[in-house]
Amino acid sequence: MKNLKTIVLSNQEISPGYFRMKILAPGYNNTAKPGQFVMFRVQRSLPPLLRRPFGIFRAGFMPADCDSMQPKEFIELIYKVVGSGTEIMQRLHQGDPVELLGPLGEGFDLGVAEEEKILVGGGIGLVPLYMLAERMVETSRVRLLMGGRTRDDIIMVTEFERLGVETYVSTEDGSLGEGGMITQVLKRKLDKFPKSTVFACGPMPMIDAVQKICFERGTPLQVSLEALMACGVGACLGCVVKGAGHTEVEPRYLCTCTSGPVFNAENLDWNKIEVTVVGSGGCK
Amino acid sequence: MKNLKTIVLSNQEISPGYFRMKILAPGYNNTAKPGQFVMFRVQRSLPPLLRRPFGIFRAGFMPADCDSMQPKEFIELIYKVVGSGTEIMQRLHQGDPVELLGPLGEGFDLGVAEEEKILVGGGIGLVPLYMLAERMVETSRVRLLMGGRTRDDIIMVTEFERLGVETYVSTEDGSLGEGGMITQVLKRKLDKFPKSTVFACGPMPMIDAVQKICFERGTPLQVSLEALMACGVGACLGCVVKGAGHTEVEPRYLCTCTSGPVFNAENLDWNKIEVTVVGSGGCK
Amino acid sequence: MIKPVKNEMQPKMAVEIAGIKLKNPIMPASGTFGYGEEYAPYLDLNSLGAIVTKGLSLKPKAGNNTPRICETVSGMLNAIGLQNVGVDAFIKYKMAYLEQYSTPVIVNFFGNTQDEYGEVAARLDDVPGVAALEMNISCPNVKHGGIIFGTDPRAAFAAVSLVRKRTSKPLIVKLTPNVTDIQITARAAEDAGADALSLINTLTGMAVDVKTRKPRLANIIGGLSGPAIRPIAVRLVHQVVQAVKVPVIGIGGISRAMDALEFLIVGARAVQVGTANFVDPNAMATIIAGLEEFCREEGVADINDLIGTLEL
Amino acid sequence: MIKPVKNEMQPKMAVEIAGIKLKNPIMPASGTFGYGEEYAPYLDLNSLGAIVTKGLSLKPKAGNNTPRICETVSGMLNAIGLQNVGVDAFIKYKMAYLEQYSTPVIVNFFGNTQDEYGEVAARLDDVPGVAALEMNISCPNVKHGGIIFGTDPRAAFAAVSLVRKRTSKPLIVKLTPNVTDIQITARAAEDAGADALSLINTLTGMAVDVKTRKPRLANIIGGLSGPAIRPIAVRLVHQVVQAVKVPVIGIGGISRAMDALEFLIVGARAVQVGTANFVDPNAMATIIAGLEEFCREEGVADINDLIGTLEL
Ligand SMILES: Cc1cc2nc3c(=O)[nH]c(=O)nc-3n(C[C@H](O)[C@H](O)[C@H](O)COP(=O)(O)OP(=O)(O)OC[C@H]3O[C@@H](n4cnc5c(N)ncnc54)[C@H](O)[C@@H]3O)c2cc1C
Ligand SMILES: Cc1cc2nc3c(=O)[nH]c(=O)nc-3n(C[C@H](O)[C@H](O)[C@H](O)COP(=O)(O)OP(=O)(O)OC[C@H]3O[C@@H](n4cnc5c(N)ncnc54)[C@H](O)[C@@H]3O)c2cc1C
Ligand SMILES: Cc1cc2nc3c(=O)[nH]c(=O)nc-3n(C[C@H](O)[C@H](O)[C@H](O)COP(=O)(O)O)c2cc1C
Ligand SMILES: Cc1cc2nc3c(=O)[nH]c(=O)nc-3n(C[C@H](O)[C@H](O)[C@H](O)COP(=O)(O)O)c2cc1C
Ligand code: FES
Ligand code: FES
C-alpha cells in the first residue's frame, strides 16, 4: 500500500463511453488481489479535488525491452465516463503523470478450488470479476452472467472467453444476448448447479436482486460494493455500509474501503442497505 | 468587441520563460489597435477562475491554403510564465480551444507623422510596443530603448530591427548591451532629440522613472499600465488607477481596462500612483 | 455537446417576484455587471430576466485603494469599496441608457446611515423604468460604530422599515451570509416590509502574499465570491426559504444552468449571476438556454413547477 | 522542480503551543486522519508536529446515514455525524497503538451536553500519552434545543469552564466559523480557561442533485472543507489572533506550504491539514519540506520569526 507517482501507458475507448487505461505500476503484480481497488488521482491540479476509486481490472508485466533492463509492471483500469473526473481521465495520454494509492481494500475470497463458481456482473461491475476469473479458472469451473441495460454495457466478452470462462449475456432491451434481467439467468443456473458460490458486482438494484435469490437458496455470495469515498483508507468514514445486526443503539458500520469493497453477503444488513451512489453523475 | 471561441495555432518558447502564442482570431486584423489587449480564457474548466489580460503583440493574416478558401486572421501574444494561469498556457498545443474577449481598451495614439518617436520597454512591456512600431515606422523615425534585469528579458530584438527600428539595449547586470538602467539611455536620447514623443511600457518602477524624466523636460509621454483585472470591460472596478486631480473628496478613478491600458501621462496622478500588481505571482 | 431534445415543447420560463414579471429567472448580481452598458456588446440585455445595477449611494463614492481584487481557489476576493457614480448621476446618465431595453431594471443601493438609505430610496421612487429596489444591508453602519446593518437584526429592521416608508417600488432586501442565524435577519427584513429577499452577498475573506507578507487587498479584508461559495449559498437560501413567506432570489457561485437549478429547487424564485459574468460575458445567456433544455429533457412545462421541489 | 537552495542553513521548525513542544507546526485536522493508524503506511507519523485524532464522545456514536460526503467545487461537504468508537475504546485500543510514536497526541472530543463534555475530558485526563485535548464546540447542545455550543458565547463559556475544571491537560478549544463575530466566542473560550484556540471547523453548506431533486447528503446539510474555504479561514484566524492572547492554530483549506504560510503570517502558531490528506496522504510531509525550503530561501532562521509578521 503506497502512493505511487507514475504515468499512463495507454488509454483507449473500448465500447461507447467505456475506456481502458494501462498505468505503469511497480509492485502491483504481486500484491494486487482480485476485488481490490486504487484511489486514482486524475491530475495534480484541481479539479477534481478528491481522488476517484477504481477497481483493478488486471495487473501484469510488460516484457523487458531494449531501453529498460527489467520487465515493467502495470495495472489496467476500465472506466465509464460519468462525470467531471472521468471526463478528464478520457483525455489523458501516454506519459501523462497520475497517482495511484493502493492496492486498497479487501478483495474476493477465491473459495474452495474445484467447486462451481458463478460470477454475476454488469457494466463496470465486470471489472473486478476479470481478475477474479483469471485466478479461479486455474482450479474451478467459472460461469459468468453478464447483464446490462443495452449492448454497450456488455464489455470484455472476448477477454473473459479467452480465459475459458463460459459467458451468458442478457440485456434488458434485448439488444445483445437474451432479453430481460440477469437474475432470470442466475435462477436457471442455480437450479442446474445448486452447489455454486456466487460472486457479484454491478449496480445496486442488481446486487440486491442477486442477494435475494442467493439468500433464499442458501447460496454463498460475495458482493463488491460501490460507495462515495474521500480517503479510501478508513480515515474519513464517508463510505460506510450497515453491517449485519446494525441498530441505531448498537451501530455496526463497516467502511467499504477497508472492510470491503468485497463483502460476504451475510456480513451486511440487507434490510437497510442504501444505494449511496446517487443518480448519474454523483456530486459536482 | 466580442467573445471569440477559437483555437491555438502555435505556442513556442522564444526565450527562457517567455512564450509566443498564435491564435486564430477572425476580425482582429482590421480592428485591433496597438496597445489594446485581450482577456484570455486559458481553458473552459477551472482553474484558473478569471481570464488573464494580455497585450496584442501582432495581428495579421495567414495566406489562404488549399483547405480553406479565405486567408485566416490571427493574433499573437507573448507571455512570461509567472503563475498558475501562464503555467497552464505554456502547455497548450495547436488546436486546443481557448477564448478571447477583445480587442479591449484604449490603445496608443500614433501621434504626428514624421516626428521622432522613442519607445521605452522591457520584458513583456515590449509586447504592445511592437504593433505600435509596426504602424509608426511607415511615417516616423522610431527608436526603441530596451531594458531589463538580465539578457533573458530582452526579447524580440530581431523582430523590431526587421521593422527598421533603431534598437538600444541595456541590462542592469550588463549581460546584454549597455550595463545599467534604461533611463540613462533615455536621457541621452532626449538630449539629442528633444522633440521626441515617448511611449513606455514595462515594470512600474521603470515607468515611474521615465515619467519623471519626461515631465522635467515637458516631453509628451504615453504609458501602458498593468493592473489586476477581473472583467476587462469596466464592470468590476477592480483595475482602477488614480487620475490627475484625484482627491479623497473628489475621487477621479480611471479604469485601466477601458480608459487605459494606454494613458497620456498627464491624465494620471503620479504622486499617488500605486504598483497594484504585487510581487511575483499575484494571487493564487 | 447538445443532448437530444426529448420533445419540442417550449417550456415557460417567466417568473414573478414582488409583482415584477421576469421573462426568465436569470439576472446579473449587483456590482458584477456595471450599469448594464458594459456588457451590451456581448449579450442581448433584452434576453435577461432583469438587469441589476452596481450599488448606489447618495453621493458618488470613491471606493478603496488598490489592489481591490485577487483570485483565490475557484473564487475571488473583492474590496471595491462600493465605488459608484451616486444616485443622481445614475438617474441622469445610466437610467437614460437602460430605458431603451424592455428588461426590468432593479437598482441596488446602500447607505452609511438609515437616513442615507431612506434618501436614496426616495430619489429613486419616482424614476420611471426602475422596476424595483434592491437594498444592500451589508454596509457598515457609521452611526453605530461600523457594525454592519445586515448582521444586527434590529438595525436591519429599522433601516428596512424606514426605506419601506420612502418608496412605493417593490423592495428587495439583500442579505449578508456573515451571520450566525440568517433566518433571524431574513424575518426582520420581511417584518419590516421587504417584498422579496436576495442572498447571498459575499463572505468575508482574506488572502496574504507570503513573499511580501502583505494582505493581497489594500483593504486587508474583502468579499469572497464565485463557485467556491456555492454550497454555503445553497444552504442559506434553503434556510431562508423555510423562514419567510416572501419570494427569495438566490445568489452565490452560479456559473452553469445546473448551479441555478440547485437554487430554484431549494425554493429560490429567481437567481443572480455574479462572478461568472467576468469569466464569460455570455454566461447568463448560456444558463438561460441550459434551463430551457433541462426543462425539455425532464418534461417540465413551466419553470415554476421546479421551484421549491426539493425532496427531503 | 526543486528551486536552488540559497544557503545550507537548517531552519528551526519547532513551535510551542500551550506548553506542548511540536517538532514543526504541521498536524492533521481532526476527522481527516482517523486515529493515526490509517495513514501510517503512507507517512512517517514521527515526522509530524502532532497527531490529532477523530472526535470522541462518551459513548460510541453511529453517525449519520449515507450519503455522507459529496465533492463540491474545490471543496467537499461531509456529514459523517461524528461517528467514533467512544472514549473508552479509544483509550484501550487506539492510544495503545499511538504510544509507539514520539509525536504528541492531541485528542479531539465533543458532547451533547455540558456534562458529557466534562465527563469525556475527565476520562482522558490521566491517560498517559495524551498531550492535549481539543474541544470541538461545533456540536448541537441537546439540552438547549439543539443550538450549537460554539455559536452561543454563553454556552461556549459555560462548557469550556466546566471542561477546564475536569482536566489538567492543555485545553485547545476549536471554534466554528458559522458566527457573526468570532472574536466574541474566541474571547469567551479564552476567558473560560482555554490554553489555545483552533479554527476553523467546517462552514455549513448544502448541495442538491438536480435530477433526483434530493440533497446530496442524507443529513441535508453538511460541513464544507477544502481549498475553497481558505480565504474565509485566513480572515477568521486573523481576527481571532487580534482578539486573544492565547496561541491560535489555523485550519482551513491548507494543501501546500504556501497555504500554511498564510496562516502563520497572520499569526497562527501552528496549522492543521484536513481534506488535503485525502487528496494526497503525503501532503503534510510535502508541506513540512516546503516550509523548510521557504525559510531557507527567505533567510528565515526560525519559523517562529515568521509567525504574526503580517504587514498592514
Ligand atoms: C471500490 C470502487 C470501485 C470502482 N470501480 C470502478 C471501475 O472499475 N470502473 C468504473 O468506471 N467505475 C468504478 N467505480 C465508480 C467510480 O469511482 C466512479 O464512476 C467515479 O468516481 C466517477 O467520477 P466522476 O468524477 O467521473 O463522476 P462525478 O459524478 O463527477 O464524481 C463526483 C463524486 O462522486 C463520486 N462518485 C460518482 N459516482 C460514483 C460511483 N459509482 N461510486 C463511487 N463514487 C462515485 C466520485 O468519486 C466523486 O467523489 C468504483 C467505485 C468504487 C467505490
Ligand atoms: C493590459 C495588460 C496587458 C498585459 N500584457 C501582457 C503581455 O503581453 N504579456 C505578459 O506576459 N503579461 C501581460 N500582462 C500581465 C499578465 O496579465 C499577467 O502576467 C498574467 O495575468 C499572470 O497570470 P498567472 O495566472 O500566470 O499569474 P498569477 O499570479 O497566478 O495570477 C493571479 C492573478 O493575478 C493577476 N496578475 C498577476 N500578474 C499580473 C500582472 N502583471 N498584471 C495584471 N494582472 C496580473 C492575474 O491576471 C490573476 O488574476 C498584461 C497585463 C495587463 C493588465
Ligand atoms: C466585484 C464585485 C462587486 C460587487 N459589488 C456589489 C454591490 O455593489 N452591491 C451588492 O449588493 N453586491 C455586490 N457584490 C456582490 C454580488 O452581487 C454577489 O452577491 C456576490 O458576488 C455572490 O455572487 P457570485 O458568487 O455569483 O459572484 C459584488 C461582487 C463582486 C465580485
Ligand atoms: C470528513 C471530515 C470529518 C471531520 N470530523 C471532525 C471531527 O470529528 N471533529 C472536528 O473537530 N472536526 C472535524 N472535521 C473538521 C476538520 O477537522 C477541519 O476543521 C475542516 O475540515 C477544515 O479543514 P480543511 O479545509 O483542511 O479540511 C472533519 C472534516 C472532514 C472533512
Ligand atoms: S473512503 Fe474514507 S473511510 Fe472509506
Ligand atoms: S477589469 Fe473590471 S473594471 Fe477594469
Side-chain angles (χ1 to χ4, degrees):
Chain A
M1 288 192 301
K2 58 175 179 171
N3 183 35
L4 198 64
K5 298 191 186 196
T6 181
I7 53 163
V8 173
L9 294 172
S10 65
N11 190 23
Q12 291 164 334
E13 189 155 16
I14 53 164
S15 175
Y18 289 90
F19 285 74
R20 180 169 177 167
M21 186 187 283
K22 200 176 204 167
I23 305 162
L24 187 70
Y28 271 73
N29 190 49
N30 289 323
T31 55
K33 297 190 199 80
Q36 287 194 301
F37 68 102
V38 294
M39 291 295 280
F40 181 80
R41 189 171 187 187
V42 176
Q43 53 182 0
R44 303 255 24 212
S45 69
L46 301 170
L49 176 68
L50 298 173
R51 291 178 182 234
R52 302 299 191 237
F54 292 99
I56 300 172
F57 171 64
R58 209 159 83 82
F61 274 112
M62 287 192 304
D65 61 17
C66 317
D67 299 342
S68 69
M69 307 299 289
Q70 295 186 312
K72 287 184 195 137
E73 284 177 74
F74 65 85
I75 60 164
E76 285 187 282
L77 310 180
I78 293 196
Y79 60 95
K80 188 175 177 181
V81 175
V82 296
S84 58
T86 45
E87 257 160 34
I88 295 172
M89 280 171 73
Q90 68 175 312
R91 282 183 266 124
L92 293 179
H93 294 110
Q94 186 181 354
D96 283 343
V98 294
E99 289 181 31
L100 296 178
L101 192 66
L104 297 171
E106 292 290 334
F108 290 100
D109 177 344
L110 296 189
V112 184
E114 311 301 333
E115 281 183 11
E116 308 265 350
K117 307 289 186 324
I118 300 180
L119 317 189
V120 187
I124 54 142
L126 294 165
V127 174
L129 298 181
Y130 182 82
M131 200 160 148
L132 178 65
E134 217 177 20
R135 302 278 163 97
M136 286 194 315
V137 286
E138 292 165 17
T139 57
S140 308
R141 175 105 183 229
V142 183
R143 293 182 176 81
L144 169 64
L145 318 187
M146 305 172 109
R149 228 179 333 245
T150 182
R151 61 179 305 146
D152 293 345
D153 297 327
I154 308 300
I155 52 174
M156 319 301 299
V157 185
T158 346
E159 277 79 357
F160 277 103
E161 288 181 339
R162 220 178 279 146
L163 292 179
V165 172
E166 271 175 40
T167 61
Y168 302 86
V169 171
S170 67
T171 52
E172 288 170 39
D173 66 1
S175 57
L176 199 71
E178 190 178 323
M181 307 296 278
I182 191 84
T183 42
Q184 67 203 32
V185 190
L186 177 63
K187 281 184 194 157
R188 257 190 279 133
K189 294 292 160 204
L190 283 178
D191 289 343
K192 223 161 149 189
F193 311 103
K195 293 257 173 216
S196 301
T197 305
V198 176
F199 303 82
C201 184
M204 206 56 208
M206 187 199 93
I207 289 199
D208 217 32
V210 168
Q211 187 272 335
K212 287 205 173 65
I213 294 166
C214 292
F215 182 76
E216 274 169 18
R217 299 169 189 236
T219 307
L221 169 66
Q222 291 176 40
V223 296
S224 178
L225 299 184
E226 284 184 8
L228 293 167
M229 293 184 175
C231 71
V233 301
C236 75
L237 306 179
C239 66
V240 295
V241 283
K242 286 167 184 157
H246 174 95
T247 61
E248 277 304 298
V249 191
E250 279 213 57
R252 268 195 217 148
Y253 276 120
L254 303 170
C255 282
T256 306
C257 67
T258 50
S259 302
V262 178
F263 293 94
N264 263 322
E266 59 199 19
N267 294 338
L268 296 175
D269 178 357
W270 289 93
N271 297 317
K272 288 172 193 155
I273 210 128
E274 284 160 4
V275 187
T276 63
V277 176
V278 255
S280 64
C283 344
K284 265 160 279 181
Chain B
M1 287 194 305
K2 60 177 177 171
N3 183 35
L4 197 65
K5 298 190 185 196
T6 182
I7 53 162
V8 173
L9 294 172
S10 65
N11 190 24
Q12 291 163 334
E13 190 156 16
I14 52 164
S15 176
Y18 289 90
F19 284 75
R20 180 169 178 167
M21 185 187 282
K22 200 176 204 169
I23 305 162
L24 188 70
Y28 271 72
N29 190 49
N30 289 322
T31 54
K33 295 190 200 80
Q36 285 194 304
F37 69 102
V38 294
M39 291 297 279
F40 180 81
R41 189 171 186 186
V42 176
Q43 53 183 357
R44 304 259 16 217
S45 69
L46 300 170
L49 177 69
L50 299 173
R51 290 176 183 236
R52 302 297 190 240
F54 292 99
I56 301 171
F57 170 64
R58 207 158 84 84
F61 274 112
M62 286 192 303
D65 61 19
C66 317
D67 301 341
S68 69
M69 307 299 290
Q70 295 186 313
K72 288 185 196 138
E73 284 175 75
F74 66 84
I75 61 164
E76 286 185 282
L77 310 180
I78 293 197
Y79 60 94
K80 189 177 177 181
V81 176
V82 296
S84 59
T86 45
E87 256 159 35
I88 294 172
M89 280 171 75
Q90 68 175 317
R91 282 185 266 127
L92 293 178
H93 294 112
Q94 184 181 355
D96 282 343
V98 293
E99 289 181 31
L100 295 179
L101 192 66
L104 298 171
E106 293 290 333
F108 289 100
D109 178 345
L110 297 190
V112 185
E114 313 300 333
E115 281 184 10
E116 307 266 351
K117 309 288 188 324
I118 300 180
L119 317 188
V120 186
I124 55 143
L126 293 165
V127 174
L129 298 180
Y130 182 81
M131 199 162 150
L132 178 65
E134 216 178 21
R135 302 278 162 97
M136 285 195 315
V137 285
E138 291 166 18
T139 57
S140 308
R141 175 105 184 232
V142 183
R143 292 181 178 81
L144 168 64
L145 320 187
M146 306 171 110
R149 228 183 326 249
T150 181
R151 59 180 305 147
D152 293 345
D153 297 327
I154 308 300
I155 52 173
M156 318 303 296
V157 185
T158 344
E159 278 77 357
F160 276 101
E161 286 182 341
R162 219 178 279 143
L163 292 178
V165 172
E166 270 174 44
T167 60
Y168 302 86
V169 171
S170 68
T171 52
E172 289 171 38
D173 67 0
S175 56
L176 199 71
E178 189 179 324
M181 307 295 278
I182 190 85
T183 41
Q184 68 203 35
V185 188
L186 177 62
K187 279 184 193 156
R188 258 189 277 132
K189 293 292 159 203
L190 282 177
D191 288 344
K192 222 161 150 189
F193 312 103
K195 293 256 171 209
S196 302
T197 305
V198 176
F199 302 81
C201 185
M204 206 58 206
M206 188 197 92
I207 290 199
D208 216 35
V210 169
Q211 188 272 335
K212 287 205 173 65
I213 295 168
C214 292
F215 182 77
E216 273 169 18
R217 301 169 189 238
T219 307
L221 169 67
Q222 292 177 39
V223 296
S224 178
L225 299 184
E226 285 185 8
L228 293 167
M229 293 184 174
C231 72
V233 301
C236 74
L237 306 179
C239 66
V240 296
V241 282
K242 286 167 185 160
H246 173 94
T247 61
E248 277 304 297
V249 192
E250 279 213 56
R252 267 193 218 150
Y253 274 121
L254 304 170
C255 282
T256 305
C257 68
T258 50
S259 302
V262 179
F263 293 93
N264 263 321
E266 60 199 18
N267 293 336
L268 297 175
D269 178 355
W270 289 94
N271 297 317
K272 289 172 192 155
I273 210 126
E274 285 160 4
V275 187
T276 63
V277 176
V278 252
S280 63
C283 347
K284 265 162 275 178
Chain C
M1 290 288 297
I2 290 167
K3 298 193 201 136
V5 175
K6 284 220 184 109
N7 67 56
E8 290 307 309
M9 159 200 82
Q10 176 57 31
K12 293 200 180 113
M13 297 299 285
V15 296
E16 200 180 306
I17 296 244
I20 330 166
K21 288 202 163 56
L22 313 179
K23 281 181 217 86
N24 60 61
I26 305 299
M27 61 183 95
S30 176
T32 67
F33 205 64
Y35 301 102
E37 216 171 342
E38 291 82 351
Y39 278 103
Y42 307 101
L43 186 72
D44 177 7
L45 299 189
N46 275 332
S47 68
L48 302 176
I51 294 165
V52 183
T53 58
K54 174 75 192 160
L56 296 174
S57 49
L58 193 55
K59 303 263 161 257
K61 198 161 184 289
N64 293 326
N65 277 334
T66 53
R68 289 178 169 189
I69 55 171
C70 157
E71 181 161 336
T72 63
V73 181
S74 299
M76 66 176 280
L77 288 168
N78 91 79
I80 305 301
L82 295 164
Q83 176 182 340
N84 76 92
V85 298
V87 65
D88 294 334
F90 171 79
I91 295 169
K92 207 157 150 196
Y93 304 111
K94 306 294 179 180
M95 259 327 283
Y97 172 84
L98 287 171
E99 267 168 13
Q100 66 184 292
Y101 296 99
S102 63
T103 303
V105 174
I106 298 176
V107 178
N108 182 287
F109 73 103
F110 66 96
N112 284 319
T113 62
Q114 269 189 43
D115 292 337
E116 256 179 60
Y117 269 110
E119 190 53 35
V120 185
R123 294 207 192 173
L124 289 162
D125 194 37
D126 52 5
V127 178
V130 173
L133 303 184
E134 182 177 56
M135 177 177 175
N136 175 5
I137 57 172
S138 312
C139 271
N141 181 346
V142 293
K143 279 235 176 121
H144 291 85
I147 248 276
I148 309 291
F149 277 100
T151 59
D152 174 355
R154 266 159 305 207
F157 180 85
V160 176
S161 301
L162 183 84
V163 167
R164 177 70 294 172
K165 286 194 201 98
R166 304 206 56 185
T167 184
S168 56
K169 304 258 188 208
L171 178 63
I172 303 163
V173 175
K174 181 163 176 184
L175 305 178
T176 166
N178 302 298
V179 294
T180 307
D181 185 347
I182 200 160
Q183 295 187 324
I184 297 175
T185 16
R187 279 194 221 102
E190 182 182 43
D191 292 346
D195 299 304
L197 302 177
S198 60
L199 65 149
I200 61 174
N201 213 315
T202 53
L203 283 142
T204 40
M206 177 174 173
V208 177
D209 183 322
V210 301
K211 293 261 180 183
T212 63
R213 301 191 201 162
K214 283 190 191 149
R216 290 199 181 277
L217 298 176
N219 193 51
I220 305 169
I221 283 175
L224 185 66
S225 63
I229 68 168
R230 198 172 71 236
I232 303 170
V234 171
R235 185 261 299 180
L236 288 162
V237 169
H238 171 66
Q239 291 177 324
V240 167
V241 163
Q242 291 175 313
V244 300
K245 290 195 195 68
V246 294
V248 169
I249 303 174
I251 321 170
I254 298 174
S255 39
R256 306 168 306 173
M258 299 276 276
D259 306 341
L261 283 163
E262 286 197 69
F263 287 89
L264 297 175
I265 289 169
V266 300
R269 197 74 68 83
V271 299
Q272 294 181 2
V273 176
T275 304
N277 295 313
F278 304 155
V279 180
D280 180 2
N282 220 41
M284 288 191 284
T286 311
I287 292 172
I288 294 166
L291 287 183
E292 290 182 4
E293 193 188 311
F294 180 87
C295 287
R296 270 197 298 271
E297 280 188 2
E298 300 283 310
V300 176
D302 185 330
I303 190 105
N304 287 286
D305 297 341
L306 261 179
I307 292 169
T309 55
L310 183 70
E311 284 187 27
L312 292 183
Chain D
M1 290 284 295
I2 292 167
K3 299 192 199 136
V5 175
K6 284 218 186 111
N7 66 57
E8 291 307 310
M9 158 199 84
Q10 176 58 30
K12 293 199 179 114
M13 297 298 285
V15 297
E16 199 181 306
I17 296 245
I20 330 166
K21 287 200 163 56
L22 314 179
K23 280 180 217 85
N24 60 61
I26 304 298
M27 60 183 96
S30 175
T32 66
F33 205 64
Y35 301 103
E37 215 171 343
E38 293 82 350
Y39 278 102
Y42 307 102
L43 186 72
D44 176 7
L45 300 189
N46 275 332
S47 70
L48 302 175
I51 294 165
V52 184
T53 59
K54 175 74 191 161
L56 296 175
S57 49
L58 193 55
K59 303 261 160 259
K61 198 161 184 286
N64 293 326
N65 278 333
T66 53
R68 291 177 168 188
I69 55 170
C70 157
E71 181 161 336
T72 64
V73 182
S74 299
M76 66 176 280
L77 288 168
N78 90 79
I80 305 301
L82 295 166
Q83 177 182 339
N84 75 93
V85 297
V87 65
D88 294 333
F90 171 80
I91 295 169
K92 206 156 149 195
Y93 304 111
K94 306 293 178 181
M95 260 325 285
Y97 173 83
L98 286 171
E99 267 168 14
Q100 66 184 290
Y101 295 99
S102 64
T103 304
V105 174
I106 298 176
V107 179
N108 183 286
F109 73 103
F110 66 96
N112 284 319
T113 61
Q114 269 189 43
D115 292 337
E116 257 179 61
Y117 270 110
E119 190 53 36
V120 185
R123 294 206 191 174
L124 289 163
D125 195 36
D126 52 6
V127 178
V130 173
L133 303 184
E134 182 178 55
M135 177 178 176
N136 175 4
I137 57 172
S138 312
C139 271
N141 181 345
V142 293
K143 280 232 176 121
H144 290 86
I147 247 279
I148 309 290
F149 278 99
T151 60
D152 175 352
R154 266 159 305 208
F157 180 85
V160 176
S161 301
L162 184 83
V163 167
R164 177 71 293 174
K165 285 192 202 100
R166 304 206 55 185
T167 185
S168 56
K169 304 256 187 209
L171 177 63
I172 303 164
V173 175
K174 182 164 174 183
L175 305 178
T176 166
N178 302 296
V179 294
T180 307
D181 185 347
I182 199 160
Q183 295 188 324
I184 297 175
T185 16
R187 278 193 222 102
E190 181 183 43
D191 292 345
D195 299 305
L197 302 176
S198 60
L199 65 147
I200 61 175
N201 213 314
T202 53
L203 284 142
T204 41
M206 176 176 172
V208 176
D209 183 323
V210 302
K211 294 262 179 183
T212 64
R213 300 190 201 162
K214 283 190 190 148
R216 289 198 182 275
L217 298 177
N219 193 51
I220 306 169
I221 284 176
L224 185 65
S225 64
I229 67 169
R230 198 174 68 235
I232 302 170
V234 172
R235 185 261 301 178
L236 287 162
V237 169
H238 171 66
Q239 290 177 326
V240 167
V241 163
Q242 290 175 314
V244 299
K245 289 194 197 68
V246 293
V248 170
I249 303 173
I251 320 170
I254 298 175
S255 37
R256 305 169 305 174
M258 298 276 275
D259 307 340
L261 284 163
E262 286 197 69
F263 286 89
L264 298 175
I265 290 169
V266 300
R269 196 75 67 85
V271 299
Q272 295 181 1
V273 175
T275 303
N277 294 313
F278 304 155
V279 180
D280 180 2
N282 221 40
M284 288 190 285
T286 312
I287 292 171
I288 294 166
L291 287 183
E292 289 182 4
E293 193 186 310
F294 181 87
C295 288
R296 271 197 298 271
E297 279 188 4
E298 300 285 310
V300 176
D302 185 332
I303 191 104
N304 287 285
D305 297 342
L306 260 178
I307 293 169
T309 54
L310 184 71
E311 284 188 25
L312 293 183

